[in-house]
Amino acid sequence: MSADTDSDPDVMGLDHTTVTGWGRTAPTGAWVIRPRTYEEAAAAVRDCGARGGIPRGLGRAYGDAAQNAGGSVLDMTALDRVHAIDADGGTVLCDAGVSLHRLMEVLLPLGWFVPVTPGTRYVTVGGAIGADIHGKNHHVSGSFARHVLALELLTADGEIRTVIPGTPLFDATAGGMGLTGVILTATIRLQPVETSLMSVDTERASDLDDLMARLAATDHRYRYSVAWIDLLARGAATGRAVLTRGDHAPLDALPARLRRDPLAFRTSRLPATPAILPEGLLSRTTVGLFNELWYRKAPRARTGRLQRISGFFHPLDGVPHWNRVYGRGGFVQYQFVVGYGREDALRRIVRRISERRCPSFLAVLKRFGDSDPGWLSFPVPGWTLALDIPAGLPGLGAFLDELDEEVAAAGGRVYLAKDARLRPELLAAMYPRLGDFRELRARLDPSGVFVSDLARRLSL
Protein backbone atom coordinates (compact mmCIF):
# COMPACT_ATOMS: atom_id res chain seq x y z
CA MET A 1 0.00 0.00 0.00
CA SER A 2 1.14 3.55 -0.64
CA ALA A 3 -0.28 6.55 1.16
CA ASP A 4 -2.64 8.94 -0.61
CA THR A 5 -2.55 12.67 0.08
CA ASP A 6 -6.13 12.62 1.38
CA SER A 7 -5.83 11.59 5.03
CA ASP A 8 -8.35 11.65 7.86
CA PRO A 9 -7.04 9.59 10.80
CA ASP A 10 -9.33 8.70 13.66
CA VAL A 11 -9.12 6.75 16.90
CA MET A 12 -9.19 3.42 15.09
CA GLY A 13 -6.60 4.34 12.50
CA LEU A 14 -8.19 5.50 9.24
CA ASP A 15 -6.60 6.95 6.14
CA HIS A 16 -7.26 7.09 2.45
CA THR A 17 -4.70 4.92 0.69
CA THR A 18 -3.87 3.51 -2.69
CA VAL A 19 -4.12 -0.27 -2.36
CA THR A 20 -2.64 -2.94 -4.63
CA GLY A 21 -2.02 -6.65 -4.51
CA TRP A 22 1.48 -8.10 -4.34
CA GLY A 23 1.62 -8.05 -8.12
CA ARG A 24 1.30 -4.24 -8.03
CA THR A 25 -1.26 -4.08 -10.80
CA ALA A 26 -4.62 -2.26 -10.91
CA PRO A 27 -4.21 -0.01 -7.83
CA THR A 28 -7.41 1.45 -6.37
CA GLY A 29 -8.10 3.93 -3.58
CA ALA A 30 -9.87 2.95 -0.36
CA TRP A 31 -10.33 4.01 3.26
CA VAL A 32 -8.07 1.69 5.24
CA ILE A 33 -9.30 1.01 8.77
CA ARG A 34 -7.01 -0.59 11.36
CA PRO A 35 -9.09 -2.05 14.21
CA ARG A 36 -7.22 -2.93 17.38
CA THR A 37 -10.01 -4.80 19.17
CA TYR A 38 -12.91 -7.03 18.19
CA GLU A 39 -15.25 -4.18 19.15
CA GLU A 40 -13.46 -1.82 16.78
CA ALA A 41 -13.68 -4.45 14.04
CA ALA A 42 -17.45 -4.70 14.59
CA ALA A 43 -17.75 -0.91 14.49
CA ALA A 44 -15.75 -0.83 11.24
CA VAL A 45 -18.10 -3.36 9.67
CA ARG A 46 -21.14 -1.31 10.74
CA ASP A 47 -19.68 1.92 9.38
CA CYS A 48 -17.94 0.82 6.18
CA GLY A 49 -20.40 2.74 3.99
CA ALA A 50 -22.20 2.22 0.70
CA ARG A 51 -19.14 0.74 -1.05
CA GLY A 52 -18.73 -1.90 1.65
CA GLY A 53 -15.55 -3.32 3.10
CA ILE A 54 -13.14 -6.23 2.81
CA PRO A 55 -10.68 -7.65 5.39
CA ARG A 56 -6.99 -7.57 4.51
CA GLY A 57 -3.92 -9.12 6.06
CA LEU A 58 -0.33 -8.57 4.95
CA GLY A 59 -1.21 -7.87 1.33
CA ARG A 60 0.30 -10.99 -0.26
CA ALA A 61 -2.68 -11.83 -2.48
CA TYR A 62 -1.26 -11.11 -5.92
CA GLY A 63 -4.37 -9.62 -7.53
CA ASP A 64 -7.33 -7.54 -6.37
CA ALA A 65 -8.86 -9.82 -3.72
CA ALA A 66 -8.03 -7.45 -0.83
CA GLN A 67 -8.82 -4.17 -2.63
CA ASN A 68 -12.07 -2.23 -2.56
CA ALA A 69 -12.22 0.81 -4.84
CA GLY A 70 -13.96 3.71 -3.16
CA GLY A 71 -14.88 1.66 -0.09
CA SER A 72 -13.23 0.38 3.07
CA VAL A 73 -10.41 -2.08 3.63
CA LEU A 74 -10.05 -3.53 7.13
CA ASP A 75 -6.36 -4.02 7.93
CA MET A 76 -6.52 -6.82 10.52
CA THR A 77 -2.81 -7.00 11.35
CA ALA A 78 -3.17 -5.21 14.73
CA LEU A 79 -5.25 -8.16 15.98
CA ASP A 80 -2.24 -10.43 16.34
CA ARG A 81 -2.37 -12.21 19.68
CA VAL A 82 -1.50 -15.86 20.22
CA HIS A 83 -4.08 -16.76 22.89
CA ALA A 84 -3.30 -20.37 23.79
CA ILE A 85 -0.98 -23.20 22.76
CA ASP A 86 -1.66 -26.82 23.62
CA ALA A 87 1.92 -28.09 23.51
CA ASP A 88 0.79 -31.64 24.28
CA GLY A 89 -2.13 -31.90 21.86
CA GLY A 90 -0.59 -29.75 19.12
CA THR A 91 -3.11 -26.94 18.64
CA VAL A 92 -2.95 -23.15 18.76
CA LEU A 93 -5.68 -20.54 19.24
CA CYS A 94 -4.73 -17.18 17.76
CA ASP A 95 -6.08 -13.99 16.25
CA ALA A 96 -6.54 -13.92 12.50
CA GLY A 97 -3.99 -11.12 12.18
CA VAL A 98 -1.14 -13.32 13.41
CA SER A 99 1.37 -14.05 10.66
CA LEU A 100 2.72 -17.50 9.88
CA HIS A 101 6.16 -16.02 10.58
CA ARG A 102 5.08 -15.20 14.14
CA LEU A 103 3.57 -18.65 14.61
CA MET A 104 6.85 -20.24 13.54
CA GLU A 105 8.77 -18.10 16.02
CA VAL A 106 6.45 -19.18 18.84
CA LEU A 107 5.79 -22.81 17.89
CA LEU A 108 9.07 -24.18 16.60
CA PRO A 109 10.87 -24.03 19.97
CA LEU A 110 7.99 -26.16 21.31
CA GLY A 111 8.40 -28.80 18.58
CA TRP A 112 5.48 -27.74 16.38
CA PHE A 113 5.19 -26.32 12.87
CA VAL A 114 2.35 -24.79 10.88
CA PRO A 115 0.47 -27.51 8.97
CA VAL A 116 0.61 -25.73 5.60
CA THR A 117 2.72 -22.81 4.40
CA PRO A 118 2.82 -21.17 0.96
CA GLY A 119 5.94 -19.65 -0.60
CA THR A 120 5.93 -16.80 1.94
CA ARG A 121 5.55 -16.87 5.71
CA TYR A 122 4.33 -13.26 5.65
CA VAL A 123 0.66 -14.10 5.39
CA THR A 124 -1.87 -13.89 8.20
CA VAL A 125 -3.91 -16.76 9.56
CA GLY A 126 -7.08 -15.02 8.35
CA GLY A 127 -5.61 -14.68 4.87
CA ALA A 128 -4.49 -18.30 4.92
CA ILE A 129 -8.08 -19.39 5.60
CA GLY A 130 -9.72 -16.86 3.27
CA ALA A 131 -7.51 -17.99 0.38
CA ASP A 132 -7.35 -21.59 1.67
CA ILE A 133 -3.65 -21.56 0.91
CA HIS A 134 -1.75 -24.64 -0.17
CA GLY A 135 1.91 -25.53 -0.02
CA LYS A 136 4.42 -28.12 -1.13
CA ASN A 137 2.63 -30.75 0.94
CA HIS A 138 -0.87 -30.65 -0.54
CA HIS A 139 -0.55 -34.19 -1.87
CA VAL A 140 -0.14 -35.28 1.78
CA SER A 141 -1.78 -32.66 3.98
CA GLY A 142 -4.29 -30.78 1.85
CA SER A 143 -4.79 -27.04 2.18
CA PHE A 144 -4.75 -24.83 5.26
CA ALA A 145 -8.45 -24.92 6.11
CA ARG A 146 -8.32 -28.71 6.49
CA HIS A 147 -6.35 -28.11 9.70
CA VAL A 148 -8.66 -25.45 11.14
CA LEU A 149 -10.70 -26.88 14.02
CA ALA A 150 -12.86 -23.79 14.57
CA LEU A 151 -12.94 -20.09 13.79
CA GLU A 152 -14.77 -17.01 14.97
CA LEU A 153 -16.37 -15.01 12.17
CA LEU A 154 -17.75 -11.47 12.38
CA THR A 155 -20.63 -11.41 9.89
CA ALA A 156 -22.43 -8.53 8.20
CA ASP A 157 -25.12 -8.33 10.90
CA GLY A 158 -22.49 -7.65 13.57
CA GLU A 159 -22.78 -11.11 15.08
CA ILE A 160 -19.69 -13.13 16.01
CA ARG A 161 -20.30 -16.76 15.04
CA THR A 162 -18.30 -19.82 15.98
CA VAL A 163 -17.85 -21.75 12.73
CA ILE A 164 -16.70 -25.37 12.57
CA PRO A 165 -15.74 -27.67 9.69
CA GLY A 166 -18.53 -29.54 7.97
CA THR A 167 -20.93 -26.60 7.98
CA PRO A 168 -21.95 -24.55 4.94
CA LEU A 169 -20.58 -21.35 6.46
CA PHE A 170 -17.18 -22.95 7.03
CA ASP A 171 -17.11 -24.29 3.47
CA ALA A 172 -18.01 -20.86 2.10
CA THR A 173 -15.42 -19.10 4.27
CA ALA A 174 -12.53 -21.46 3.44
CA GLY A 175 -11.35 -20.04 0.13
CA GLY A 176 -14.13 -17.42 0.19
CA MET A 177 -11.67 -14.51 -0.13
CA GLY A 178 -13.04 -12.64 2.88
CA LEU A 179 -16.52 -12.28 1.42
CA THR A 180 -18.44 -14.10 4.17
CA GLY A 181 -17.13 -11.91 6.99
CA VAL A 182 -14.11 -11.00 9.07
CA ILE A 183 -12.25 -13.92 10.64
CA LEU A 184 -11.30 -12.90 14.19
CA THR A 185 -9.72 -16.04 15.64
CA ALA A 186 -8.86 -19.59 14.57
CA THR A 187 -7.92 -22.82 16.30
CA ILE A 188 -5.39 -24.74 14.22
CA ARG A 189 -4.04 -28.29 14.40
CA LEU A 190 -0.21 -28.32 14.11
CA GLN A 191 2.51 -30.53 12.64
CA PRO A 192 5.01 -32.08 15.10
CA VAL A 193 8.73 -31.69 14.29
CA GLU A 194 11.97 -32.68 16.02
CA THR A 195 14.15 -29.96 14.45
CA SER A 196 13.92 -26.70 12.55
CA LEU A 197 15.87 -28.14 9.63
CA MET A 198 14.77 -29.93 6.48
CA SER A 199 16.31 -33.00 4.85
CA VAL A 200 16.21 -32.19 1.15
CA ASP A 201 16.68 -34.24 -2.02
CA THR A 202 17.31 -32.46 -5.35
CA GLU A 203 17.44 -33.79 -8.89
CA ARG A 204 17.17 -32.56 -12.45
CA ALA A 205 14.46 -33.57 -14.94
CA SER A 206 15.34 -33.30 -18.61
CA ASP A 207 11.88 -32.32 -19.87
CA LEU A 208 8.23 -32.09 -18.82
CA ASP A 209 7.44 -35.77 -19.35
CA ASP A 210 10.51 -36.79 -17.36
CA LEU A 211 9.44 -34.43 -14.58
CA MET A 212 5.85 -35.71 -14.41
CA ALA A 213 7.05 -39.31 -14.41
CA ARG A 214 9.41 -38.66 -11.49
CA LEU A 215 6.71 -36.84 -9.51
CA ALA A 216 4.04 -39.47 -10.13
CA ALA A 217 6.34 -42.37 -9.27
CA THR A 218 7.93 -41.10 -6.06
CA ASP A 219 5.95 -38.17 -4.59
CA HIS A 220 4.37 -40.50 -2.02
CA ARG A 221 7.76 -40.84 -0.35
CA TYR A 222 7.96 -37.14 0.53
CA ARG A 223 5.88 -34.78 2.63
CA TYR A 224 7.00 -31.76 0.58
CA SER A 225 7.59 -31.60 -3.15
CA VAL A 226 7.98 -28.86 -5.76
CA ALA A 227 9.64 -28.42 -9.13
CA TRP A 228 11.11 -25.23 -10.56
CA ILE A 229 10.44 -25.38 -14.28
CA ASP A 230 12.23 -23.57 -17.12
CA LEU A 231 9.45 -22.14 -19.29
CA LEU A 232 11.87 -20.60 -21.77
CA ALA A 233 13.44 -23.93 -22.72
CA ARG A 234 12.21 -25.23 -26.07
CA GLY A 235 12.47 -28.27 -28.29
CA ALA A 236 13.55 -31.47 -26.57
CA ALA A 237 14.23 -29.51 -23.36
CA THR A 238 10.71 -28.07 -23.06
CA GLY A 239 9.68 -28.20 -19.41
CA ARG A 240 13.08 -29.15 -18.04
CA ALA A 241 13.09 -28.70 -14.30
CA VAL A 242 14.82 -28.91 -10.95
CA LEU A 243 12.86 -31.12 -8.57
CA THR A 244 13.22 -30.43 -4.83
CA ARG A 245 11.63 -32.63 -2.18
CA GLY A 246 12.06 -33.22 1.50
CA ASP A 247 10.75 -33.63 5.02
CA HIS A 248 11.48 -32.30 8.48
CA ALA A 249 14.86 -33.63 9.55
CA PRO A 250 14.80 -35.96 12.57
CA LEU A 251 17.08 -35.15 15.48
CA ASP A 252 19.41 -38.06 14.76
CA ALA A 253 20.12 -36.69 11.27
CA LEU A 254 21.76 -33.55 12.68
CA PRO A 255 25.49 -33.25 13.30
CA ALA A 256 26.52 -32.77 16.92
CA ARG A 257 26.99 -28.99 16.62
CA LEU A 258 23.36 -28.53 15.52
CA ARG A 259 21.86 -30.80 18.18
CA ARG A 260 22.58 -28.25 20.90
CA ASP A 261 19.69 -26.08 19.68
CA PRO A 262 17.80 -28.21 17.16
CA LEU A 263 14.58 -26.17 17.15
CA ALA A 264 16.08 -22.71 16.67
CA PHE A 265 14.22 -20.71 14.02
CA ARG A 266 16.90 -18.95 11.97
CA THR A 267 16.21 -16.75 8.96
CA SER A 268 18.39 -14.72 6.63
CA ARG A 269 17.72 -11.33 5.09
CA LEU A 270 19.28 -9.73 2.03
CA PRO A 271 19.17 -6.03 1.08
CA ALA A 272 15.78 -4.77 -0.06
CA THR A 273 15.01 -4.46 -3.75
CA PRO A 274 15.23 -0.79 -4.81
CA ALA A 275 11.91 1.05 -5.11
CA ILE A 276 12.74 2.00 -8.71
CA LEU A 277 14.29 -0.49 -11.09
CA PRO A 278 15.00 0.00 -14.79
CA GLU A 279 12.20 -1.14 -17.08
CA GLY A 280 13.03 -4.20 -19.16
CA LEU A 281 15.31 -5.67 -16.50
CA LEU A 282 13.44 -8.98 -16.85
CA SER A 283 13.75 -9.47 -20.58
CA ARG A 284 13.70 -12.80 -22.39
CA THR A 285 17.49 -12.58 -22.62
CA THR A 286 18.14 -11.93 -18.92
CA VAL A 287 15.56 -14.46 -17.72
CA GLY A 288 16.81 -17.01 -20.23
CA LEU A 289 20.34 -16.58 -18.88
CA PHE A 290 19.13 -16.90 -15.29
CA ASN A 291 17.16 -20.05 -16.11
CA GLU A 292 20.11 -21.63 -17.86
CA LEU A 293 22.40 -20.93 -14.92
CA TRP A 294 19.84 -22.09 -12.37
CA TYR A 295 19.30 -25.38 -14.18
CA ARG A 296 23.00 -26.03 -14.73
CA LYS A 297 24.03 -25.27 -11.15
CA ALA A 298 21.48 -27.70 -9.72
CA PRO A 299 22.87 -31.13 -8.86
CA ARG A 300 21.87 -34.00 -11.12
CA ALA A 301 21.00 -35.91 -7.98
CA ARG A 302 21.69 -35.10 -4.33
CA THR A 303 20.07 -36.52 -1.20
CA GLY A 304 19.87 -35.62 2.45
CA ARG A 305 21.08 -32.03 2.35
CA LEU A 306 20.18 -30.16 5.55
CA GLN A 307 18.50 -26.81 4.93
CA ARG A 308 16.85 -24.21 7.12
CA ILE A 309 13.07 -24.09 7.08
CA SER A 310 13.22 -20.51 5.81
CA GLY A 311 15.47 -21.46 2.90
CA PHE A 312 13.42 -24.48 1.89
CA PHE A 313 9.96 -22.92 2.10
CA HIS A 314 10.48 -19.18 1.77
CA PRO A 315 13.65 -18.25 -0.14
CA LEU A 316 12.13 -15.04 -1.51
CA ASP A 317 11.27 -13.78 1.97
CA GLY A 318 14.98 -13.11 2.38
CA VAL A 319 14.68 -10.33 -0.24
CA PRO A 320 12.36 -7.59 1.07
CA HIS A 321 10.07 -6.12 -1.61
CA TRP A 322 11.21 -8.65 -4.21
CA ASN A 323 8.06 -7.86 -6.19
CA ARG A 324 9.69 -4.59 -7.26
CA VAL A 325 12.02 -6.49 -9.58
CA TYR A 326 9.26 -6.41 -12.22
CA GLY A 327 9.37 -2.62 -12.43
CA ARG A 328 6.61 -0.04 -12.18
CA GLY A 329 4.14 -2.08 -14.23
CA GLY A 330 4.15 -4.96 -11.78
CA PHE A 331 3.52 -8.57 -12.68
CA VAL A 332 0.80 -11.15 -13.08
CA GLN A 333 1.05 -14.44 -11.27
CA TYR A 334 -0.91 -17.02 -13.22
CA GLN A 335 -1.72 -20.31 -11.50
CA PHE A 336 -3.99 -23.04 -12.75
CA VAL A 337 -4.69 -26.71 -12.06
CA VAL A 338 -5.79 -29.47 -14.44
CA GLY A 339 -6.80 -32.91 -13.24
CA TYR A 340 -4.95 -36.17 -13.49
CA GLY A 341 -5.66 -37.71 -16.85
CA ARG A 342 -5.49 -34.25 -18.49
CA GLU A 343 -1.73 -34.23 -18.89
CA ASP A 344 -2.10 -33.41 -22.60
CA ALA A 345 -3.66 -30.07 -21.62
CA LEU A 346 -0.71 -29.34 -19.32
CA ARG A 347 1.73 -30.23 -22.10
CA ARG A 348 -0.06 -27.95 -24.57
CA ILE A 349 -0.09 -25.03 -22.13
CA VAL A 350 3.58 -25.42 -21.23
CA ARG A 351 4.45 -25.64 -24.92
CA ARG A 352 2.43 -22.50 -25.68
CA ILE A 353 4.11 -20.56 -22.86
CA SER A 354 7.51 -21.72 -24.06
CA GLU A 355 6.78 -20.77 -27.67
CA ARG A 356 5.39 -17.41 -26.54
CA ARG A 357 8.74 -16.80 -24.79
CA CYS A 358 7.18 -15.51 -21.59
CA PRO A 359 10.09 -14.27 -19.42
CA SER A 360 9.26 -16.14 -16.21
CA PHE A 361 11.97 -17.15 -13.78
CA LEU A 362 9.55 -18.01 -10.95
CA ALA A 363 7.62 -20.99 -12.31
CA VAL A 364 6.74 -24.05 -10.24
CA LEU A 365 4.89 -27.29 -10.87
CA LYS A 366 3.32 -29.37 -8.08
CA ARG A 367 0.88 -32.23 -7.63
CA PHE A 368 -2.32 -31.77 -5.64
CA GLY A 369 -3.99 -34.44 -3.54
CA ASP A 370 -7.65 -34.76 -2.60
CA SER A 371 -9.98 -31.78 -3.00
CA ASP A 372 -10.65 -29.58 -0.02
CA PRO A 373 -14.17 -28.79 1.23
CA GLY A 374 -14.18 -25.06 0.52
CA TRP A 375 -16.65 -24.16 -2.22
CA LEU A 376 -14.14 -21.76 -3.79
CA SER A 377 -11.00 -23.58 -2.65
CA PHE A 378 -8.57 -23.87 -5.50
CA PRO A 379 -6.92 -27.31 -5.18
CA VAL A 380 -8.37 -30.36 -6.91
CA PRO A 381 -6.46 -33.58 -7.62
CA GLY A 382 -4.10 -32.83 -10.48
CA TRP A 383 -1.16 -30.80 -11.73
CA THR A 384 -0.78 -27.14 -10.79
CA LEU A 385 1.53 -24.70 -12.52
CA ALA A 386 2.25 -21.18 -11.23
CA LEU A 387 4.32 -18.58 -13.06
CA ASP A 388 5.14 -14.89 -12.77
CA ILE A 389 4.99 -12.76 -15.92
CA PRO A 390 5.76 -9.02 -16.26
CA ALA A 391 2.39 -7.28 -16.66
CA GLY A 392 3.66 -5.10 -19.51
CA LEU A 393 4.41 -8.00 -21.85
CA PRO A 394 2.72 -7.14 -25.18
CA GLY A 395 -0.44 -9.14 -25.82
CA LEU A 396 -0.36 -10.77 -22.38
CA GLY A 397 -4.06 -10.27 -21.62
CA ALA A 398 -5.27 -11.97 -24.78
CA PHE A 399 -2.76 -14.77 -24.36
CA LEU A 400 -3.84 -15.52 -20.79
CA ASP A 401 -7.50 -15.39 -21.87
CA GLU A 402 -6.71 -18.19 -24.32
CA LEU A 403 -5.00 -20.19 -21.59
CA ASP A 404 -8.03 -19.68 -19.33
CA GLU A 405 -10.26 -21.18 -21.98
CA GLU A 406 -7.95 -24.17 -22.39
CA VAL A 407 -7.84 -24.69 -18.62
CA ALA A 408 -11.64 -24.49 -18.36
CA ALA A 409 -12.11 -26.87 -21.29
CA ALA A 410 -9.88 -29.38 -19.48
CA GLY A 411 -12.02 -29.14 -16.34
CA GLY A 412 -9.41 -27.07 -14.50
CA ARG A 413 -9.47 -23.74 -12.71
CA VAL A 414 -7.36 -20.69 -11.88
CA TYR A 415 -6.47 -19.58 -8.35
CA LEU A 416 -8.56 -16.62 -7.20
CA ALA A 417 -6.00 -15.49 -4.61
CA LYS A 418 -3.56 -14.82 -7.44
CA ASP A 419 -5.99 -13.70 -10.11
CA ALA A 420 -6.20 -10.14 -11.42
CA ARG A 421 -7.87 -10.53 -14.81
CA LEU A 422 -10.07 -13.65 -15.23
CA ARG A 423 -13.24 -13.12 -17.29
CA PRO A 424 -16.38 -13.75 -15.17
CA GLU A 425 -18.09 -16.01 -17.71
CA LEU A 426 -15.49 -18.74 -17.11
CA LEU A 427 -15.85 -18.79 -13.34
CA ALA A 428 -18.86 -21.11 -13.03
CA ALA A 429 -17.21 -23.73 -15.24
CA MET A 430 -14.12 -23.65 -13.04
CA TYR A 431 -15.92 -23.61 -9.67
CA PRO A 432 -19.05 -25.82 -9.69
CA ARG A 433 -20.10 -24.69 -6.18
CA LEU A 434 -20.19 -21.03 -7.22
CA GLY A 435 -23.99 -20.99 -7.15
CA ASP A 436 -24.03 -22.28 -3.57
CA PHE A 437 -21.51 -19.63 -2.57
CA ARG A 438 -23.53 -16.81 -4.12
CA GLU A 439 -26.74 -18.07 -2.52
CA LEU A 440 -25.23 -18.26 0.97
CA ARG A 441 -23.68 -14.80 0.55
CA ALA A 442 -27.05 -13.37 -0.48
CA ARG A 443 -28.67 -14.77 2.68
CA LEU A 444 -25.83 -13.90 5.02
CA ASP A 445 -25.06 -10.44 3.64
CA PRO A 446 -28.12 -9.15 1.73
CA SER A 447 -26.89 -5.53 1.80
CA GLY A 448 -23.50 -6.38 0.33
CA VAL A 449 -21.44 -5.21 3.30
CA PHE A 450 -18.45 -7.35 2.29
CA VAL A 451 -17.20 -6.62 -1.20
CA SER A 452 -13.88 -6.33 -3.05
CA ASP A 453 -12.57 -5.43 -6.47
CA LEU A 454 -12.29 -9.17 -7.16
CA ALA A 455 -15.91 -9.72 -6.10
CA ARG A 456 -17.19 -6.95 -8.37
CA ARG A 457 -15.11 -8.11 -11.33
CA LEU A 458 -16.27 -11.73 -11.04
CA SER A 459 -19.78 -11.11 -9.63
CA LEU A 460 -19.04 -13.18 -6.55
Side-chain angles (χ1 to χ4, degrees):
M1 294 187 293
S2 58
D4 194 287
T5 55
D6 185 8
S7 180
D8 182 21
D10 71 0
V11 66
M12 219 185 304
L14 171 69
D15 61 88
H16 198 270
T17 300
T18 300
V19 181
T20 71
W22 191 245
R24 305 175 75 209
T25 60
T28 55
W31 291 100
V32 177
I33 307 169
R34 298 178 177 86
R36 295 165 299 188
T37 66
Y38 304 151
E39 292 77 16
E40 287 187 352
V45 169
R46 285 196 306 269
D47 301 334
C48 60
R51 292 286 289 180
I54 191 70
R56 180 181 175 97
L58 288 167
R60 292 304 178 101
Y62 285 79
D64 53 3
Q67 299 174 214
N68 183 21
S72 299
V73 170
L74 280 65
D75 180 341
M76 299 300 295
T77 55
L79 289 168
D80 61 353
R81 291 169 295 174
V82 177
H83 293 281
I85 299 170
D86 181 351
D88 295 322
T91 63
V92 61
L93 168 62
C94 63
D95 283 342
V98 173
S99 70
L100 298 192
H101 174 84
R102 178 60 181 152
L103 285 184
M104 291 176 198
E105 287 183 322
V106 171
L107 296 172
L108 269 169
L110 303 176
W112 296 99
F113 189 61
V114 295
V116 172
T117 177
T120 175
R121 60 186 180 274
Y122 295 112
V123 297
T124 62
V125 167
I129 298 169
D132 202 11
I133 60 170
H134 57 272
K136 300 175 182 179
N137 60 338
H138 191 276
H139 63 293
V140 173
S141 302
S143 59
F144 194 89
R146 192 182 297 184
H147 305 272
V148 175
L149 302 177
L151 59 87
E152 289 183 304
L153 185 72
L154 172 64
T155 50
D157 56 7
E159 182 180 346
I160 297 177
R161 306 170 187 238
T162 299
V163 185
I164 60 174
T167 62
L169 186 52
F170 187 94
D171 293 346
T173 301
M177 307 310 299
L179 296 170
T180 61
V182 180
I183 299 171
L184 297 176
T185 70
T187 302
I188 305 160
R189 183 175 55 245
L190 304 170
Q191 168 69 35
V193 296
E194 295 182 15
T195 75
S196 62
L197 294 169
M198 305 297 296
S199 177
V200 182
D201 295 353
T202 305
E203 59 190 280
R204 287 191 217 165
S206 59
D207 57 35
L208 182 60
D209 283 341
D210 181 29
L211 172 61
M212 289 193 292
R214 291 170 186 255
L215 284 165
T218 59
D219 245 15
H220 64 279
R221 302 177 190 168
Y222 297 89
R223 179 174 296 275
Y224 303 100
S225 178
V226 67
W228 169 87
I229 184 170
D230 182 0
L231 291 176
L232 283 176
R234 292 185 289 181
T238 299
R240 67 179 180 178
V242 178
L243 178 55
T244 305
R245 294 180 287 189
D247 207 335
H248 299 279
L251 184 61
D252 59 13
L254 270 56
R257 62 183 177 83
L258 294 177
R259 294 188 193 184
R260 289 190 291 270
D261 193 8
L263 290 166
F265 180 43
R266 299 182 179 90
T267 63
S268 56
R269 197 169 180 86
L270 299 174
T273 305
I276 299 177
L277 288 168
E279 295 295 327
L281 181 64
L282 295 184
S283 66
R284 293 183 178 95
T285 300
T286 57
V287 173
L289 178 60
F290 170 88
N291 287 3
E292 181 69 28
L293 292 173
W294 191 260
Y295 181 78
R296 294 297 175 189
K297 85 175 188 65
R300 292 186 182 276
R302 180 178 60 196
T303 61
R305 180 195 177 200
L306 292 177
Q307 190 174 8
R308 291 179 184 176
I309 274 176
S310 58
F312 180 76
F313 290 107
H314 316 118
L316 288 174
D317 283 347
V319 185
H321 307 296
W322 65 262
N323 57 337
R324 293 175 181 168
V325 75
Y326 294 88
R328 295 180 186 274
F331 69 99
V332 173
Q333 176 150 126
Y334 185 68
Q335 183 169 5
F336 68 90
V337 58
V338 293
Y340 297 124
R342 305 309 298 262
E343 285 77 11
D344 283 348
L346 177 63
R347 292 185 185 97
R348 285 194 302 270
I349 292 172
V350 168
R351 193 178 310 115
R352 291 185 66 178
I353 295 169
S354 175
E355 291 171 351
R356 182 70 166 67
R357 308 292 287 157
C358 292
S360 176
F361 71 95
L362 292 174
V364 296
L365 183 73
K366 293 181 289 194
R367 295 173 79 246
F368 280 158
D370 293 339
S371 297
D372 296 291
W375 291 344
L376 297 186
S377 292
F378 170 64
V380 293
W383 304 92
T384 181
L385 176 66
L387 61 149
D388 292 352
I389 313 172
L393 192 69
L396 179 62
F399 177 66
L400 293 181
D401 284 347
E402 293 172 1
L403 296 190
D404 289 341
E405 292 172 1
E406 183 139 13
V407 168
R413 57 182 58 165
V414 300
Y415 191 14
L416 296 183
K418 296 183 177 180
D419 177 58
R421 25 75 40 211
L422 179 68
R423 301 199 315 271
E425 59 267 25
L426 292 177
L427 192 64
M430 293 181 172
Y431 289 90
R433 300 300 298 271
L434 178 63
D436 295 325
F437 180 81
R438 286 171 171 162
E439 182 182 340
L440 183 143
R441 277 243 303 148
R443 294 197 315 269
L444 190 67
D445 184 9
S447 300
V449 171
F450 295 109
V451 67
S452 64
D453 292 353
L454 173 80
R456 290 191 186 95
R457 176 168 56 83
L458 294 177
S459 299
L460 290 174

